[in-house]
Amino acid sequence: LPEAALDAAKEAFKLRPADPGAHLQAFFLSLDRALLTEAQRHLAAVQGHLGDAALEKMLGGVLQSASGRHAEAAATFEAVARIDPRRVDALLRGGAAAAQAGDRDRAFRLLFEASQADPTRNGPRAELTLFFIPADELMRGADGAVIKLAEGVDRATALLYEGVIRFHQRDLEK
């Protein structure tokens, strides 16, 4: 399936080299393959073309996190949550990134903020945006980060937050 998606993006580039949809698809495919320089190039091509500043910044945070720049990613995800308070996924990703950076206090603060979000409030409606991005696509790579903080009295809290991240990834089997 990834090969077919890559082929489709290449065909789209032949017809419209600047097509943001094709670049967005290629961005996620590049991330999946850990081709971070290529992902950065595709991200630059979609910046300013998605019609959602918070989403564009979120994608930047995803790339920062994939590049191992976890502290920087945590700050980016926090900024996303300030731009669009509906983005609970940004708080969750920020908490995971902070955990990966070893910043326990920041991780738990962001994850607590995410846990306090109103579950009945609609987040950004991906189905109604110009480019459909499944919510779990933005959460990919966040799993396993918080579990590393599961020590002593914080063990139950870390396990709970790890469960919340996996729920938002739609990964209910782990």
Side-chain angles (χ1 to χ4, degrees):
L1 186 61
E3 290 302 321
L6 185 59
D7 291 343
K10 286 178 182 176
E11 285 299 315
F13 290 137
K14 288 179 189 175
L15 298 172
R16 291 180 50 201
D19 183 353
H23 280 287
L24 188 60
Q25 183 171 329
F27 169 76
F28 284 117
L29 289 167
S30 298
L31 281 179
D32 281 348
R33 295 170 172 215
L35 302 172
L36 302 178
T37 302
E38 192 172 314
Q40 176 62 47
R41 185 173 56 82
H42 292 297
L43 178 60
V46 300
Q47 295 293 326
H49 299 287
L50 297 181
D52 183 343
L55 175 60
E56 290 178 9
K57 198 165 194 66
M58 181 87 174
L59 295 173
V62 169
L63 180 59
Q64 290 166 341
S65 190
S67 301
R69 299 183 341 249
H70 301 298
E72 187 178 343
T76 297
F77 291 129
E78 275 188 273
V80 169
R82 282 192 302 275
I83 293 169
D84 186 348
R86 299 172 300 166
R87 298 226 59 125
V88 175
D89 55 352
L91 293 170
L92 292 168
R93 284 301 309 251
Q100 289 168 316
D103 190 341
R104 176 188 209 90
D105 293 338
R106 186 182 207 179
F108 281 160
R109 179 180 53 78
L110 290 170
L111 294 166
F112 177 77
E113 286 179 42
S115 74
Q116 298 303 301
D118 180 357
T120 63
R121 182 179 67 188
N122 287 330
R125 301 280 311 257
E127 300 83 12
L128 302 177
T129 60
L130 185 59
F131 302 100
F132 176 75
I133 301 173
D136 59 330
E137 189 71 39
L138 294 173
M139 293 299 297
R140 187 177 297 182
D143 57 314
V146 180
I147 202 72
K148 295 173 186 167
L149 302 178
E151 300 171 358
V153 294
D154 290 330
R155 181 168 174 70
T157 303
L159 292 171
L160 173 68
Y161 290 144
E162 185 70 26
V164 171
I165 288 172
R166 289 183 190 265
F167 175 79
H168 280 270
Q169 289 175 314
R170 310 292 192 260
D171 185 0
L172 304 178
E173 295 183 18
K174 289 186 182 176

